[in-house]
Amino acid sequence: MNTRDRLIVALDVDSPEKAIHLTKLLSPYVGAFKVGMELFNSVGPEIIYTLKKLGANIFVDLKLHDIPNTVARASRVLTSHGADILNVHAAGGKEMMQSAAQAVNKEVLDKGLTRPLVVAVTVLTSISARAFKEEIGFAGEIEDKVVNWAKLAQAAGLDGVVASPQEIRAIRQACGPEFVIITPGIRPSGGAVHDQKRVTTPGEAIAAGATYIVVGRPITENSDPVQAARNIVSEMN
């Protein structure tokens, strides 16, 4: 895989105009674009079709988390919209994740579509060790929970997980070389951390075993987004 194909840019914007502008500007330099809750809820699923027409690969980041039937139906819809990657939340349990994977496979078979990657979100990169224990109420260490959820996602038939850079090596060891690890919480050397707690640099994430990294504000809010993206690819190398 080409290094630039491993960089996903988060389109954390609230208008189609901004999303289209960034996609056109950055497409030659990155592998895919993430459509998250802000953009999807502002514009609706039409934004997926619009960006796909520009030749972009799209990661639809809605973190589906509901009863198995509801998540299965939503997963089928997102597959039909053309998502290249979609995610559910591992906290929904094995049955929910299995339902999502099976629904995606059936939609692909029924309509002759290209199968998206289906991945599970583990512990958000904004969650600190203190919040993990004192606010959310989990016992033990974050890494242990993330690895357990990753193994559960793999057993449920999912392709991989979304996890912070700090858990990459442990997931890779537990789930093997083919398991997809998508890593947010990436900040270029010397960059601002913002609201992230468990972060690392692009080069460190790739060296640890990340399949893809997700970068938002350090690129999209930079005065020169193209150069910012090129710098991150260089750091990945």
Side-chain angles (χ1 to χ4, degrees), residues 50-70:
T50 300
L51 299 183
K52 294 283 287 183
K53 286 177 183 176
L54 296 175
N57 295 314
I58 304 300
F59 171 16
V60 183
D61 176 25
L62 300 182
K63 302 177 179 69
L64 303 176
H65 186 179
D66 210 308
I67 63 172
N69 184 63
T70 298

Side-chain angles (χ1 to χ4, degrees), residues 137-148:
F138 283 124
E141 301 302 319
I142 290 178
E143 182 178 288
D144 295 334
K145 174 61 70 178
V146 170
V147 170
N148 286 339

Side-chain angles (χ1 to χ4, degrees), residues 4 12-14 20 60 71 108-109 128 162 164 172 214 225 227:
R4 78 169 186 87
D12 295 328
V13 296
D14 61 1
I20 290 167
V60 183
V71 169
V108 166
L109 185 63
S128 66
V162 180
S164 97
R172 184 62 67 214
V214 180
Q227 189 57 51

